[in-house]
């Protein structure tokens, strides 16, 4: 087994990789929007929504189950049991992956006609079905490498996957005539599936060459099923509701008198606005990936003080980071959309959703920490409740209010999910939040946005906002000298032990 990387440096490694991949992915999204237009992007998002439902069913909770059980074994100093865990997880993934692959392949014509309402989606769904077992196996291996904290290896493989996937997609797109929306969707799905195949092969070969020596056979099935089956049922229900929501939005939007092309509006939101809004969250996705196994290890070792420290520190950092990104996106919305999607009215929508960024970013980290403390069922239950409410609100609000109805539903359901999740986390972790910190931080952000909005140009408003925001944080005592000492200790720490104490 390789030496475990400190969580801070693991987060830095994953962040660098995720930022690079997000940057490339956003550029690719821009290329697609220019190639197939907003309507084509909307169709692709509907295809991916149905495909992700099939993938969630095929995965059957195996990725989180692999991650959690592996982290438990490592936390209790039993690496010799890993080969048995991986064998059980891979068998689980093969069986469920093949089953749902056959279901998706046979049901593709029905799904394309009655769900997506476009026969152009049939071949894309069948391509995804052919690779579905591989995607499930890929989930097992990424779950293992994340739990084992082999971040450098995982990062290198993810870069190779992204480059390979986009390369395949672009090569296929170049052979297609302009405006071939069906062919473009098939190219994207095929490229993504080829990337998953490459990832699985590379990770499995690396694991096989460096696998720990096995012990006597240990029971895996019961432990795995106790985690994966409840997660699978809940994840399937959640994914089904989410897919229903995505498929319903264009139909209900079409009933609003002011919208003539609802699938284009859906494409702008899901394929343009949301990727830009969540682009800065790459660092948080990296941190979330590491926090699940880290907190699982701490829980197994009963390190309550470290659990409380991680919860408090990460909530504060995420809140401040989310407020900073929210202000930047709000002020730079016009410039970003003009550069990335010329001629497409996305700026106003981005500005509307940017004010929700702090809550969305905090919810991402809260969800990861709650799962790391073994509260997966509660997380999924909250997601199901909020998604169900979202479907109900969208059904009634979209025909009457259009985009405004979508925004209202998004706000209400995400607030509900966040409140339920953070309440659970604070109770389980026995952590108390001082209300003055989020209130003063939000006030500092609003004042800074107002000041930044007084400047003209592209860069000056953002610079003015950033300068004012951090000055106010220091003035209010939210950022202190101890915080700067902490950041310096992270960067300057040499030993693994010291780094792990710091973060």
């Amino acid at each position: 087994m390789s030496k475990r990387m400190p969580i801070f440096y693991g987060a830095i490694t994953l962040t660098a990789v995720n930022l690079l991949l997000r940057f490339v992915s956003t550029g690719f999204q821009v290329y697609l929007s220019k190639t197939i237009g907003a309507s084509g992007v909307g169709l692709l998002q509907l295809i991916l929504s149905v495909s992700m439902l099939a993938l969630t069913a095929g995965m059957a909770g195996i990725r989180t189950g692999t991650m959690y059980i592996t982290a438990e074994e490592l936390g209790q100093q039993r690496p010799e049991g890993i080969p048995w865990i991986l064998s059980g997880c891979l068998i689980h993934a093969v069986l469920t992956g093949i089953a749902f692959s056959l279901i998706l392949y046979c049901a593709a014509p029905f799904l394309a006609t009655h769900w997506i309402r476009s026969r152009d989606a049939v071949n894309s769904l069948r391509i995804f079905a052919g690779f579905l077992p591989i995607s499930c196996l890929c989930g097992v291996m990424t779950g293992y490498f994340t739990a084992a904290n082999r971040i450098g290896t995982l990062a290198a493989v993810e870069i190779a996957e992204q480059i390979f996937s986009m390369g395949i997609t672009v090569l296929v797109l170049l052979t297609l005539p302009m405006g071939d929306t069906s062919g473009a969707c098939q190219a994207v799905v095929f490229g993504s599936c080829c990337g998953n195949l490459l990832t699985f092969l590379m990770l499995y070969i690396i694991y096989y060459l460096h696998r720990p020596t096995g012990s006597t056979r240990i029971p895996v099935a019961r432990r795995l099923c106790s985690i994966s089956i409840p997660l699978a049922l809940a994840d399937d229900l959640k994914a089904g509701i989410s897919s229903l929501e995505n498929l319903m939005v264009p139909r209900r939007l079409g009933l609003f008198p002011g919208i003539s092309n609802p699938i284009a509006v859906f494409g702008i939101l899901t394929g343009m606005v949301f990727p830009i809004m969540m682009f800065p969250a790459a660092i948080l996705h990296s941190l979330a990936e590491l926090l699940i196994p880290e907190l699982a290890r701490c829980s197994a070792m009963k390190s309550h003080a470290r659990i409380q420290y991680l919860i408090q520190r990460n909530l504060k950092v995420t809140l401040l980071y989310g407020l900073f990104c929210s202000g930047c996106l709000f002020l730079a919305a016009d410039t970003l959309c003009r550069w990335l999607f010329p001629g497409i009215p996305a700026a106003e929508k981005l500005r509307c959703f940017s004010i929700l960024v702090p809550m969305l970013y905090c919810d991402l980290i809260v969800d990861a920490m709650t799962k790391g403390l073994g509260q997966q069922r509660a997380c999924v239950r909250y997601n199901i409740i909020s998604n169900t409410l979202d479907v109900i609100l969208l059904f009634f609000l979209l025909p009457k209010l259009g985009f405004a109805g979508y925004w209202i539903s998004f706000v209400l359901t995400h607030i509900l999910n966040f409140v339920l999740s953070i309440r659970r986390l604070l109770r389980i972790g026995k952590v108390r939040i001082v209300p003055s910190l989020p209130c003063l931080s939000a006030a500092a952000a609003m004042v800074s946005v107002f000041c930044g909005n007084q400047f003209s140009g592209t860069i000056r408003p953002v610079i003015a906002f950033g300068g004012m925001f951090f000055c106010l944080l220091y003035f209010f005592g939210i950022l202190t000298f101890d915080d700067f000492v902490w950041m310096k200790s992270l960067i300057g720490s040499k030993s693994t032990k010291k780094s792990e104490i710091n973060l």
Side-chain angles (χ1 to χ4, degrees):
M1 291 293 289
S2 59
K3 185 177 288 187
R4 190 164 65 91
M5 182 182 291
I7 186 173
F8 172 73
Y9 293 107
I12 291 296
T13 302
L14 274 182
T15 295
V17 173
N18 280 340
L19 283 174
L20 174 63
L21 297 183
R22 286 290 183 94
F23 180 79
V24 175
S25 178
T26 302
F28 185 68
Q29 196 72 29
V30 173
Y31 169 74
L32 274 181
S33 67
K34 294 179 180 179
T35 303
I36 60 179
S39 297
V41 172
L43 175 61
L44 177 61
Q45 294 299 319
L46 294 177
I47 293 172
L48 293 178
S49 178
V50 175
S51 299
M52 288 304 104
L53 174 60
L55 178 60
T56 302
M59 291 280 276
I62 190 61
R63 186 178 187 277
T64 303
T66 303
M67 188 187 304
Y68 197 80
I69 295 177
T70 300
E72 281 186 333
E73 291 296 305
L74 296 177
Q76 297 177 10
Q77 305 298 317
R78 297 197 302 253
E80 65 277 0
I82 297 298
W84 293 108
I85 290 174
L86 262 291
S87 297
C89 293
L90 289 172
I91 293 172
H92 179 286
V94 168
L95 295 177
T96 56
I98 291 176
F100 284 96
S101 172
L102 294 174
I103 293 173
L104 179 60
Y105 188 90
C106 296
F110 174 83
L111 296 174
T113 302
H114 299 283
W115 285 25
I116 302 176
R117 294 193 174 182
S118 174
R119 292 287 300 180
D120 292 339
V122 173
N123 290 335
S124 296
L125 293 175
R126 284 184 164 170
I127 291 172
F128 190 87
F131 284 89
L132 183 56
I134 297 297
S135 299
C136 296
L137 292 173
C138 183
V140 172
M141 298 311 301
T142 55
Y144 162 72
F145 274 81
T146 301
N149 218 351
R150 299 178 65 174
I151 304 305
T153 300
L154 194 58
V157 172
E158 285 182 354
I159 292 175
E161 175 196 346
Q162 192 80 346
I163 294 173
F164 183 72
S165 174
M166 290 187 177
I168 293 292
T169 303
V170 171
L171 286 176
V172 176
L173 286 174
L174 291 176
T175 65
L176 301 175
M178 289 294 295
D180 186 356
T181 303
S182 175
C185 293
Q186 293 172 43
V188 173
V189 172
F190 179 71
S192 176
C193 292
C194 288
N196 285 337
L197 174 60
L198 178 68
T199 295
F200 170 70
L201 292 176
M202 294 178 68
L203 291 179
Y204 187 80
I205 291 171
I206 294 170
Y207 159 75
Y208 186 80
L209 294 176
H210 300 90
R211 68 190 186 280
T213 54
S215 62
T216 56
R217 184 168 186 172
I218 62 173
V220 176
R222 180 173 295 180
R223 291 174 63 191
L224 180 60
C225 289
S226 67
I227 296 174
S228 63
I229 291 180
L231 274 178
L233 295 175
D235 285 349
D236 290 347
L237 179 57
K238 175 188 171 185
I241 296 172
S242 179
S243 297
L244 173 63
E245 174 189 333
N246 289 333
L247 294 169
M248 182 183 67
V249 168
R251 301 184 189 183
R252 303 299 290 176
L253 272 177
L255 300 178
F256 183 69
I259 297 179
S260 58
N261 192 350
I263 197 169
V265 175
F266 180 73
I268 292 172
L269 287 173
T270 58
M272 302 177 191
V273 171
F274 290 165
I276 295 176
M277 183 175 68
M278 299 306 293
F279 176 83
I283 184 173
L284 301 179
H285 282 289
S286 306
L287 188 58
E289 283 286 293
L290 296 172
L291 280 173
I292 293 176
E294 179 69 13
L295 285 171
R297 281 190 288 267
C298 292
S299 182
M301 295 185 292
K302 301 187 184 304
S303 300
H304 301 299
R306 177 159 171 77
I307 289 173
Q308 292 174 348
Y309 175 80
L310 286 172
I311 291 174
Q312 291 173 329
R313 177 64 70 177
N314 284 287
L315 282 177
K316 178 179 177 180
V317 170
T318 305
L319 173 64
L320 299 182
Y321 180 71
L323 288 169
F324 175 75
C325 293
S326 175
C328 291
L329 289 171
F330 185 89
L331 294 170
D334 288 324
T335 302
L336 285 172
C337 294
R338 186 170 61 250
W339 285 353
L340 298 176
F341 311 110
I344 298 177
E348 192 62 35
K349 295 178 175 60
L350 176 59
R351 191 176 291 108
C352 289
F353 280 99
S354 66
I355 62 178
L356 305 176
V357 161
M359 180 184 66
L360 297 177
Y361 286 12
C362 286
D363 188 49
L364 191 156
I365 293 298
V366 168
D367 185 71
M369 291 193 290
T370 308
K371 288 178 179 176
L373 294 175
Q375 301 297 308
Q376 293 93 340
R377 296 183 185 180
C379 290
V380 177
R381 184 166 63 249
Y382 299 153
N383 288 331
I384 291 174
I385 292 172
S386 60
N387 285 354
T388 302
L389 177 62
D390 198 26
V391 169
I392 296 172
L393 290 175
L394 288 172
F395 184 86
F396 291 104
L397 294 180
L398 288 178
K400 297 181 179 180
L401 302 176
F403 170 74
Y406 186 93
W407 188 85
I408 292 172
S409 175
F410 190 96
V411 172
L412 293 178
T413 54
H414 281 77
I415 288 177
L416 174 64
N417 184 277
F418 177 66
V419 169
L420 292 174
S421 298
I422 196 169
R423 178 175 172 270
R424 183 85 175 191
L425 175 66
L426 297 179
R427 184 162 59 87
I428 295 298
K430 299 179 181 178
V431 174
R432 180 176 176 272
I433 292 180
V434 181
S436 60
L437 191 149
C439 293
L440 288 175
S441 300
M446 288 187 287
V447 171
S448 301
V449 167
F450 176 79
C451 293
N453 206 31
Q454 307 308 309
F455 292 83
S456 59
T458 301
I459 303 298
R460 284 182 293 178
V462 175
I463 295 176
F465 160 77
M468 176 66 74
F469 181 58
F470 287 107
C471 287
L472 288 175
L473 290 179
Y474 190 79
F475 176 77
F476 289 147
I478 298 169
L479 279 180
T480 64
F481 181 75
D482 289 340
D483 292 313
F484 293 105
V485 172
W486 169 72
M487 287 186 284
K488 182 181 178 181
S489 69
L490 289 177
I491 298 171
S493 181
K494 298 297 183 184
S495 68
T496 300
K497 184 176 179 181
K498 183 178 179 183
S499 297
E500 289 177 344
I501 291 173
N502 284 334
L503 187 54

